Amino acid sequence: MLNSDAELTRRLSEAIARLVPQAFGEGAALETMSPARIDRRYSFMFRYWVRKPDQSRRPILVKIPHQDWIKSMEEAIASDQVREEIKHEFAAMQSIHIVIQNSKHPLLFAVNPVGGYLPDYNAIVMEEVDLKMLKGYLSRFSILVDHKSAWMDFENKLKLAGEWLRLIHDAFRQPQNKRIAELDVQETGLDGIDALEQISGNRLTNIRTCFMRLFQEIQDLVVPVSALHNDFHLGNILVTPDGRVGALDPNWKSAGAIYQDLTSLLIDPVTRKLQVLMQGLAFRSSQRVRFEQAVLRGYFGDTSPSYPLIYFYCALNVLAKWRKNEELLRSGPRVVTFIGSRFIRLYFRKLVMNYLALGLASAMRPNNTA
């Protein structure tokens, strides 16, 4: 017989009440045993308020993840698959918080899993921070019209995002770098091209040729390998009210080239739905360059990045997004699929070719400049 969500919430509140003095110090206590519940597609969230001895208040969140088809807390808590994922997420969150805290960078942050992991409820207890997604900048009128001070602020936030990512990569870097030829990027790219040809029924000969030409140019280059965030884009990069920048929701990958995370952010504004529908007019090429340079300044500092590598991985990530969009369209109504796929193919084909051309051009220049 299923335990009711109300009964499980009561037990959860009792567990949190016991936890609070350990996490926040003797004398700290919950203000109420009845949390605010926030149901999301992939998690049940509960907000509690902690009252500390000095009478200050602090909100905490309890996250119980689940698959999208699960409707009850008991089912979510019982899921062994999700249990392993949330333990992994907690370990990542804890490690990231320690790295950012130890960096003592005043303008970077990481969410603190202050209460730890509760195995009986398959839950993470974390601090709640008032955050805004960095992707909100893309819809600001001042950004769209290139207002100087607005863009300076945006570029500063992007630079901080690059610095945040670099700290994480450096902290979890593998002992040995790898040659591009030792990684699976050639197979991944060609598999993506094959899949797109099968979906569209059209040959992508120019893309395949340019992809292989650029791969041959960079295959002997050595790249740093690190644990990856694996979902580093504007929707997961957040800003606090006091201007600090950090990221959430790592889809933690044990090891990969650092360029996978970096270019996931670089291609974000040029692969969003509005940009595709407007065929590149929503975020212009001059803005793309400013966006890229701000992120790269943050990540590489005064060191010159390898642009052939950057644009190769940009093309690789765009191929993956193109394929994902095509597959999503195939599950919709036939009319939507017919019209939407033509918009998508026209735009993404051009975008992939542009990144490959930029990579090849930079490979021909001294010091691999842009």
Side-chain angles (χ1 to χ4, degrees):
M1 180 177 178
L2 289 176
N3 293 304
S4 70
D5 279 12
E7 173 62 16
L8 282 169
T9 302
R10 184 187 66 78
R11 295 182 196 172
L12 175 65
S13 295
E14 291 174 352
I16 299 299
R18 291 191 295 271
L19 178 74
V20 163
Q22 302 170 32
F24 295 94
E26 187 176 352
L30 289 181
E31 285 193 340
T32 175
M33 298 291 282
S34 300
R37 174 167 164 169
I38 309 159
D39 286 357
R40 296 180 177 171
R41 183 176 181 183
Y42 294 107
S43 63
F44 300 120
M45 304 284 286
F46 299 88
R47 178 184 292 113
Y48 293 88
W49 283 90
V50 174
R51 177 77 66 176
K52 301 178 77 172
D54 62 3
Q55 297 306 304
S56 62
R57 302 169 73 237
R58 184 172 179 179
I60 58 172
L61 288 175
V62 180
K63 175 183 177 180
I64 301 176
H66 61 78
Q67 295 99 336
D68 58 355
W69 51 266
I70 282 180
K71 303 303 179 186
S72 76
M73 286 176 62
E74 185 169 24
E75 290 175 301
I77 293 168
S79 173
D80 289 334
Q81 177 186 341
V82 175
R83 184 174 300 276
E84 290 306 310
E85 291 173 358
I86 196 66
K87 286 165 68 176
H88 195 55
E89 180 180 341
F90 167 69
M93 186 181 292
Q94 190 175 49
S95 299
I96 289 171
H97 177 257
I98 291 170
V99 170
I100 299 302
Q101 188 177 46
N102 289 344
S103 76
K104 302 188 185 304
H105 194 306
L107 291 176
L108 300 182
F109 88 93
V111 170
N112 181 10
V114 63
Y117 170 67
L118 300 179
D120 290 345
Y121 298 92
N122 202 23
I124 295 177
V125 185
M126 68 192 88
E127 66 176 345
E128 183 177 19
V129 183
D130 185 15
L131 301 169
K132 292 184 179 179
M133 290 184 287
L134 195 55
K135 73 175 183 180
Y137 277 71
L138 294 179
S139 59
R140 293 185 179 182
F141 180 74
S142 55
I143 294 296
L144 296 174
V145 299
D146 291 337
H147 189 276
K148 183 177 179 180
S149 61
W151 258 97
M152 287 178 62
D153 180 46
F154 190 26
E155 288 171 308
N156 181 54
K157 300 296 189 298
L158 293 169
K159 180 176 178 290
L160 289 171
E163 292 180 36
W164 189 97
L165 184 63
R166 178 62 182 263
L167 278 171
I168 300 303
H169 283 168
D170 284 353
F172 305 114
R173 188 164 169 174
Q174 302 294 307
Q176 291 185 329
N177 296 337
K178 289 190 176 182
R179 292 170 55 245
I180 287 291
E182 296 178 280
L183 302 171
D184 62 357
V185 290
Q186 181 183 14
E187 294 80 3
T188 299
L190 292 177
D191 286 348
I193 294 169
D194 289 343
L196 286 164
E197 286 182 336
Q198 185 174 3
I199 292 170
S200 66
N202 298 315
R203 301 291 293 173
L204 301 176
T205 305
N206 288 345
I207 289 178
R208 188 184 298 273
T209 300
C210 289
F211 178 85
M212 286 307 303
R213 282 181 56 200
L214 183 52
F215 176 77
Q216 288 163 9
E217 290 288 339
I218 67 170
Q219 63 181 327
D220 291 324
L221 296 181
V222 175
V223 297
V225 174
S226 175
L228 302 179
H229 182 283
N230 210 35
D231 202 18
F232 198 69
H233 56 74
L234 292 170
N236 280 336
I237 299 171
L238 301 120
V239 183
T240 66
D242 59 358
R244 292 177 297 145
V245 173
L248 291 178
D249 293 337
N251 186 15
W252 207 247
K253 183 176 179 180
S254 58
I258 55 103
Y259 293 96
Q260 290 179 238
D261 274 347
L262 189 57
T263 57
S264 177
L265 175 56
L266 295 184
I267 70 162
D268 189 357
V270 295
T271 54
R272 291 192 167 268
K273 289 179 182 178
L274 181 62
Q275 180 76 349
V276 177
L277 289 172
M278 294 187 66
Q279 295 293 297
L281 297 177
F283 199 78
R284 300 180 297 279
S285 59
S286 60
Q287 294 173 322
R288 175 191 63 78
V289 171
R290 293 179 70 174
F291 185 100
E292 285 181 1
Q293 293 304 312
V295 174
L296 296 176
R297 280 198 305 274
Y299 192 92
F300 291 102
D302 295 330
T303 304
S304 297
S306 172
Y307 283 97
L309 280 172
I310 287 169
Y311 291 132
F312 176 81
Y313 272 93
C314 281
L316 202 62
N317 273 326
V318 171
L319 280 169
K321 271 207 168 181
W322 180 5
R323 179 177 178 177
K324 182 178 180 180
N325 277 272
E326 291 274 12
E327 289 171 346
L328 285 172
L329 273 177
R330 292 178 75 185
S331 62
R334 183 174 295 182
V335 173
V336 173
T337 301
F338 180 81
I339 297 172
S341 62
R342 275 145 185 79
F343 267 91
I344 285 175
R345 288 166 197 169
L346 179 65
Y347 179 74
F348 277 103
R349 184 193 293 258
K350 181 179 177 181
L351 186 61
V352 172
M353 283 299 298
N354 182 53
Y355 278 126
L356 292 173
L358 287 169
L360 286 166
S362 58
M364 299 299 107
R365 297 191 185 104
N367 301 319
N368 294 330
T369 56

Short mmCIF file of all heavy atoms in Angstrom, two decimals, residues 230-275:
data_model
loop_
_atom_site.label_atom_id
_atom_site.label_comp_id
_atom_site.label_asym_id
_atom_site.label_seq_id
_atom_site.Cartn_x
_atom_site.Cartn_y
_atom_site.Cartn_z
N ASN A 230 28.99 19.12 -18.59
CA ASN A 230 28.26 18.38 -19.63
C ASN A 230 26.87 18.95 -19.92
O ASN A 230 26.09 18.32 -20.64
CB ASN A 230 28.14 16.90 -19.28
CG ASN A 230 28.08 16.02 -20.52
OD1 ASN A 230 28.71 16.32 -21.53
ND2 ASN A 230 27.32 14.95 -20.46
N ASP A 231 26.56 20.13 -19.39
CA ASP A 231 25.31 20.81 -19.74
C ASP A 231 25.49 22.30 -19.50
O ASP A 231 24.63 22.97 -18.94
CB ASP A 231 24.15 20.26 -18.88
CG ASP A 231 22.78 20.49 -19.52
OD1 ASP A 231 22.73 20.76 -20.74
OD2 ASP A 231 21.78 20.41 -18.79
N PHE A 232 26.62 22.82 -19.97
CA PHE A 232 27.02 24.19 -19.64
C PHE A 232 26.48 25.15 -20.69
O PHE A 232 27.06 25.33 -21.76
CB PHE A 232 28.55 24.27 -19.56
CG PHE A 232 29.06 25.48 -18.84
CD1 PHE A 232 28.87 25.61 -17.47
CD2 PHE A 232 29.74 26.48 -19.50
CE1 PHE A 232 29.35 26.72 -16.78
CE2 PHE A 232 30.22 27.59 -18.83
CZ PHE A 232 30.03 27.71 -17.47
N HIS A 233 25.34 25.76 -20.38
CA HIS A 233 24.72 26.73 -21.30
C HIS A 233 24.08 27.83 -20.49
O HIS A 233 24.05 27.79 -19.24
CB HIS A 233 23.71 26.04 -22.22
CG HIS A 233 22.64 25.29 -21.50
ND1 HIS A 233 21.59 25.92 -20.84
CD2 HIS A 233 22.44 23.96 -21.30
CE1 HIS A 233 20.79 25.02 -20.29
NE2 HIS A 233 21.28 23.82 -20.54
N LEU A 234 23.54 28.84 -21.17
CA LEU A 234 23.04 30.03 -20.49
C LEU A 234 21.89 29.73 -19.54
O LEU A 234 21.68 30.46 -18.57
CB LEU A 234 22.59 31.07 -21.53
CG LEU A 234 23.71 31.70 -22.37
CD1 LEU A 234 23.13 32.50 -23.52
CD2 LEU A 234 24.61 32.57 -21.51
N GLY A 235 21.12 28.68 -19.80
CA GLY A 235 20.02 28.34 -18.91
C GLY A 235 20.48 27.77 -17.59
O GLY A 235 19.74 27.80 -16.60
N ASN A 236 21.69 27.24 -17.54
CA ASN A 236 22.24 26.67 -16.30
C ASN A 236 23.28 27.58 -15.64
O ASN A 236 23.84 27.22 -14.61
CB ASN A 236 22.87 25.30 -16.58
CG ASN A 236 21.83 24.20 -16.65
OD1 ASN A 236 20.74 24.33 -16.09
ND2 ASN A 236 22.15 23.14 -17.36
N ILE A 237 23.54 28.73 -16.25
CA ILE A 237 24.46 29.71 -15.66
C ILE A 237 23.60 30.79 -15.01
O ILE A 237 22.69 31.33 -15.64
CB ILE A 237 25.39 30.31 -16.73
CG1 ILE A 237 26.24 29.19 -17.35
CG2 ILE A 237 26.30 31.37 -16.11
CD1 ILE A 237 27.03 29.63 -18.55
N LEU A 238 23.87 31.07 -13.76
CA LEU A 238 22.98 31.92 -12.98
C LEU A 238 23.72 33.05 -12.30
O LEU A 238 24.92 32.96 -12.04
CB LEU A 238 22.22 31.07 -11.95
CG LEU A 238 21.41 29.95 -12.63
CD1 LEU A 238 21.88 28.60 -12.12
CD2 LEU A 238 19.94 30.12 -12.42
N VAL A 239 22.96 34.12 -12.03
CA VAL A 239 23.52 35.32 -11.43
C VAL A 239 22.75 35.64 -10.15
O VAL A 239 21.52 35.61 -10.14
CB VAL A 239 23.42 36.51 -12.41
CG1 VAL A 239 24.08 37.76 -11.81
CG2 VAL A 239 24.07 36.16 -13.75
N THR A 240 23.47 35.93 -9.08
CA THR A 240 22.86 36.32 -7.81
C THR A 240 22.53 37.81 -7.83
O THR A 240 23.05 38.55 -8.67
CB THR A 240 23.81 36.02 -6.64
OG1 THR A 240 24.97 36.87 -6.76
CG2 THR A 240 24.25 34.56 -6.64
N PRO A 241 21.69 38.28 -6.91
CA PRO A 241 21.35 39.71 -6.87
C PRO A 241 22.57 40.61 -6.70
O PRO A 241 22.56 41.76 -7.15
CB PRO A 241 20.42 39.82 -5.66
CG PRO A 241 19.79 38.48 -5.55
CD PRO A 241 20.87 37.50 -5.95
N ASP A 242 23.64 40.11 -6.07
CA ASP A 242 24.84 40.93 -5.90
C ASP A 242 25.86 40.73 -7.02
O ASP A 242 27.01 41.17 -6.91
CB ASP A 242 25.49 40.68 -4.53
CG ASP A 242 25.89 39.22 -4.33
OD1 ASP A 242 25.63 38.40 -5.24
OD2 ASP A 242 26.46 38.90 -3.27
N GLY A 243 25.44 40.06 -8.11
CA GLY A 243 26.28 40.00 -9.31
C GLY A 243 27.24 38.83 -9.39
O GLY A 243 28.07 38.78 -10.30
N ARG A 244 27.16 37.88 -8.46
CA ARG A 244 28.04 36.71 -8.55
C ARG A 244 27.49 35.72 -9.58
O ARG A 244 26.29 35.63 -9.79
CB ARG A 244 28.17 36.04 -7.18
CG ARG A 244 28.92 36.85 -6.14
CD ARG A 244 28.94 36.16 -4.79
NE ARG A 244 27.60 36.02 -4.26
CZ ARG A 244 27.18 34.98 -3.55
NH1 ARG A 244 28.00 33.94 -3.31
NH2 ARG A 244 25.94 34.93 -3.09
N VAL A 245 28.39 34.97 -10.21
CA VAL A 245 28.03 34.06 -11.30
C VAL A 245 28.41 32.63 -10.93
O VAL A 245 29.48 32.39 -10.36
CB VAL A 245 28.72 34.47 -12.62
CG1 VAL A 245 28.49 33.43 -13.71
CG2 VAL A 245 28.21 35.84 -13.07
N GLY A 246 27.55 31.70 -11.24
CA GLY A 246 27.82 30.28 -11.01
C GLY A 246 26.95 29.44 -11.92
O GLY A 246 26.25 29.97 -12.79
N ALA A 247 26.99 28.14 -11.73
CA ALA A 247 26.21 27.24 -12.59
C ALA A 247 25.60 26.14 -11.76
O ALA A 247 26.11 25.76 -10.70
CB ALA A 247 27.10 26.65 -13.68
N LEU A 248 24.47 25.61 -12.26
CA LEU A 248 23.76 24.53 -11.60
C LEU A 248 23.57 23.37 -12.58
O LEU A 248 23.94 23.45 -13.75
CB LEU A 248 22.40 25.01 -11.11
CG LEU A 248 22.38 26.00 -9.95
CD1 LEU A 248 20.94 26.38 -9.63
CD2 LEU A 248 23.05 25.43 -8.71
N ASP A 249 22.94 22.31 -12.07
CA ASP A 249 22.50 21.16 -12.87
C ASP A 249 23.60 20.51 -13.69
O ASP A 249 23.46 20.33 -14.91
CB ASP A 249 21.34 21.56 -13.80
CG ASP A 249 20.09 21.91 -13.01
OD1 ASP A 249 19.97 21.45 -11.86
OD2 ASP A 249 19.25 22.62 -13.55
N PRO A 250 24.72 20.16 -13.08
CA PRO A 250 25.74 19.44 -13.85
C PRO A 250 25.26 18.05 -14.23
O PRO A 250 24.74 17.31 -13.41
CB PRO A 250 26.93 19.36 -12.88
CG PRO A 250 26.31 19.42 -11.52
CD PRO A 250 25.11 20.31 -11.67
N ASN A 251 25.39 17.73 -15.50
CA ASN A 251 25.12 16.38 -15.98
C ASN A 251 26.48 15.69 -16.04
O ASN A 251 27.00 15.39 -17.10
CB ASN A 251 24.45 16.44 -17.35
CG ASN A 251 24.02 15.09 -17.85
OD1 ASN A 251 23.96 14.12 -17.10
ND2 ASN A 251 23.74 15.00 -19.14
N TRP A 252 27.05 15.46 -14.87
CA TRP A 252 28.46 15.16 -14.66
C TRP A 252 28.97 14.03 -15.56
O TRP A 252 28.41 12.95 -15.59
CB TRP A 252 28.67 14.78 -13.20
CG TRP A 252 30.03 15.04 -12.66
CD1 TRP A 252 30.93 14.10 -12.27
CD2 TRP A 252 30.64 16.30 -12.40
NE1 TRP A 252 32.06 14.70 -11.79
CE2 TRP A 252 31.92 16.05 -11.87
CE3 TRP A 252 30.25 17.62 -12.59
CZ2 TRP A 252 32.79 17.07 -11.50
CZ3 TRP A 252 31.11 18.63 -12.23
CH2 TRP A 252 32.37 18.35 -11.69
N LYS A 253 30.04 14.31 -16.29
CA LYS A 253 30.70 13.31 -17.13
C LYS A 253 32.11 13.13 -16.59
O LYS A 253 32.81 14.11 -16.35
CB LYS A 253 30.72 13.78 -18.58
CG LYS A 253 31.32 12.77 -19.55
CD LYS A 253 31.21 13.28 -20.98
CE LYS A 253 31.83 12.29 -21.96
NZ LYS A 253 31.74 12.77 -23.36
N SER A 254 32.54 11.90 -16.45
CA SER A 254 33.78 11.63 -15.73
C SER A 254 35.01 12.20 -16.42
O SER A 254 35.93 12.67 -15.76
CB SER A 254 33.96 10.12 -15.53
OG SER A 254 33.96 9.44 -16.76
N ALA A 255 35.04 12.18 -17.75
CA ALA A 255 36.24 12.68 -18.44
C ALA A 255 35.93 13.01 -19.88
O ALA A 255 35.22 12.27 -20.58
CB ALA A 255 37.36 11.64 -18.38
N GLY A 256 36.46 14.14 -20.33
CA GLY A 256 36.31 14.55 -21.72
C GLY A 256 37.15 15.78 -21.97
O GLY A 256 37.68 16.40 -21.03
N ALA A 257 37.30 16.16 -23.23
CA ALA A 257 38.06 17.36 -23.57
C ALA A 257 37.34 18.59 -23.04
O ALA A 257 36.11 18.71 -23.15
CB ALA A 257 38.22 17.46 -25.09
N ILE A 258 38.10 19.51 -22.47
CA ILE A 258 37.51 20.71 -21.87
C ILE A 258 36.71 21.52 -22.89
O ILE A 258 35.81 22.28 -22.53
CB ILE A 258 38.58 21.57 -21.19
CG1 ILE A 258 39.72 21.94 -22.15
CG2 ILE A 258 39.15 20.83 -19.98
CD1 ILE A 258 39.67 23.32 -22.68
N TYR A 259 37.02 21.36 -24.18
CA TYR A 259 36.34 22.12 -25.23
C TYR A 259 34.88 21.72 -25.37
O TYR A 259 34.08 22.47 -25.93
CB TYR A 259 37.07 21.95 -26.56
CG TYR A 259 38.44 22.58 -26.55
CD1 TYR A 259 39.57 21.83 -26.27
CD2 TYR A 259 38.60 23.94 -26.80
CE1 TYR A 259 40.83 22.40 -26.23
CE2 TYR A 259 39.84 24.53 -26.77
CZ TYR A 259 40.96 23.76 -26.49
OH TYR A 259 42.20 24.34 -26.46
N GLN A 260 34.49 20.55 -24.87
CA GLN A 260 33.08 20.15 -24.95
C GLN A 260 32.21 21.09 -24.12
O GLN A 260 31.18 21.56 -24.59
CB GLN A 260 32.92 18.71 -24.45
CG GLN A 260 33.50 17.67 -25.37
CD GLN A 260 33.33 16.26 -24.82
OE1 GLN A 260 34.30 15.53 -24.62
NE2 GLN A 260 32.10 15.88 -24.54
N ASP A 261 32.61 21.37 -22.88
CA ASP A 261 31.87 22.30 -22.03
C ASP A 261 31.95 23.72 -22.58
O ASP A 261 30.95 24.44 -22.64
CB ASP A 261 32.45 22.30 -20.61
CG ASP A 261 31.85 21.22 -19.73
OD1 ASP A 261 30.83 20.62 -20.11
OD2 ASP A 261 32.42 20.97 -18.65
N LEU A 262 33.14 24.13 -22.95
CA LEU A 262 33.37 25.50 -23.38
C LEU A 262 32.53 25.86 -24.60
O LEU A 262 31.86 26.90 -24.64
CB LEU A 262 34.86 25.69 -23.68
CG LEU A 262 35.37 27.10 -23.94
CD1 LEU A 262 35.06 28.02 -22.78
CD2 LEU A 262 36.86 27.06 -24.22
N THR A 263 32.52 24.98 -25.59
CA THR A 263 31.78 25.30 -26.82
C THR A 263 30.28 25.06 -26.67
O THR A 263 29.50 25.60 -27.44
CB THR A 263 32.33 24.49 -28.02
OG1 THR A 263 32.27 23.09 -27.73
CG2 THR A 263 33.76 24.89 -28.31
N SER A 264 29.89 24.29 -25.68
CA SER A 264 28.46 24.16 -25.38
C SER A 264 27.88 25.53 -25.04
O SER A 264 26.75 25.85 -25.43
CB SER A 264 28.26 23.19 -24.22
OG SER A 264 26.90 23.10 -23.86
N LEU A 265 28.66 26.35 -24.34
CA LEU A 265 28.23 27.72 -24.04
C LEU A 265 28.36 28.61 -25.27
O LEU A 265 27.47 29.42 -25.56
CB LEU A 265 29.05 28.28 -22.88
CG LEU A 265 28.81 29.75 -22.52
CD1 LEU A 265 27.33 30.01 -22.22
CD2 LEU A 265 29.68 30.17 -21.34
N LEU A 266 29.46 28.47 -26.01
CA LEU A 266 29.69 29.36 -27.15
C LEU A 266 28.59 29.27 -28.21
O LEU A 266 28.23 30.27 -28.83
CB LEU A 266 31.04 29.05 -27.80
CG LEU A 266 32.30 29.32 -26.95
CD1 LEU A 266 33.55 29.07 -27.77
CD2 LEU A 266 32.30 30.74 -26.39
N ILE A 267 28.04 28.08 -28.43
CA ILE A 267 27.02 27.93 -29.48
C ILE A 267 25.61 28.20 -28.96
O ILE A 267 24.65 28.24 -29.76
CB ILE A 267 27.04 26.52 -30.10
CG1 ILE A 267 26.53 25.47 -29.09
CG2 ILE A 267 28.42 26.17 -30.63
CD1 ILE A 267 26.13 24.16 -29.72
N ASP A 268 25.45 28.41 -27.66
CA ASP A 268 24.11 28.51 -27.09
C ASP A 268 23.26 29.61 -27.75
O ASP A 268 22.15 29.35 -28.20
CB ASP A 268 24.22 28.73 -25.59
CG ASP A 268 22.87 28.65 -24.89
OD1 ASP A 268 21.84 28.49 -25.56
OD2 ASP A 268 22.83 28.73 -23.65
N PRO A 269 23.75 30.87 -27.80
CA PRO A 269 22.86 31.92 -28.33
C PRO A 269 22.53 31.76 -29.82
O PRO A 269 21.50 32.26 -30.27
CB PRO A 269 23.65 33.21 -28.09
CG PRO A 269 25.07 32.79 -28.00
CD PRO A 269 25.04 31.42 -27.38
N VAL A 270 23.36 31.03 -30.56
CA VAL A 270 23.10 30.90 -32.00
C VAL A 270 22.35 29.62 -32.35
O VAL A 270 22.11 29.33 -33.53
CB VAL A 270 24.42 30.97 -32.82
CG1 VAL A 270 25.05 32.35 -32.68
CG2 VAL A 270 25.39 29.88 -32.42
N THR A 271 21.95 28.85 -31.33
CA THR A 271 21.19 27.62 -31.60
C THR A 271 19.85 27.61 -30.86
O THR A 271 19.18 26.59 -30.81
CB THR A 271 21.99 26.37 -31.21
OG1 THR A 271 22.43 26.48 -29.85
CG2 THR A 271 23.19 26.18 -32.12
N ARG A 272 19.45 28.74 -30.30
CA ARG A 272 18.16 28.82 -29.62
C ARG A 272 17.01 28.91 -30.63
O ARG A 272 17.22 29.30 -31.79
CB ARG A 272 18.13 29.98 -28.64
CG ARG A 272 19.05 29.74 -27.45
CD ARG A 272 18.85 30.70 -26.31
NE ARG A 272 19.55 30.17 -25.13
CZ ARG A 272 19.01 29.40 -24.22
NH1 ARG A 272 17.72 29.08 -24.33
NH2 ARG A 272 19.70 28.94 -23.20
N LYS A 273 15.81 28.58 -30.18
CA LYS A 273 14.66 28.47 -31.09
C LYS A 273 14.41 29.74 -31.89
O LYS A 273 14.20 29.69 -33.10
CB LYS A 273 13.41 28.09 -30.30
CG LYS A 273 13.41 26.67 -29.76
CD LYS A 273 12.13 26.39 -28.97
CE LYS A 273 12.16 24.98 -28.39
NZ LYS A 273 10.95 24.69 -27.57
N LEU A 274 14.42 30.88 -31.19
CA LEU A 274 14.15 32.14 -31.88
C LEU A 274 15.19 32.41 -32.96
O LEU A 274 14.85 32.88 -34.06
CB LEU A 274 14.12 33.29 -30.88
CG LEU A 274 13.81 34.68 -31.47
CD1 LEU A 274 12.42 34.70 -32.10
CD2 LEU A 274 13.92 35.75 -30.38
N GLN A 275 16.44 32.11 -32.66
CA GLN A 275 17.52 32.30 -33.63
C GLN A 275 17.31 31.43 -34.87
O GLN A 275 17.52 31.88 -36.00
CB GLN A 275 18.86 31.99 -32.97
CG GLN A 275 20.08 32.16 -33.86
CD GLN A 275 20.47 33.62 -34.07
OE1 GLN A 275 19.73 34.52 -33.72
NE2 GLN A 275 21.64 33.84 -34.63
#
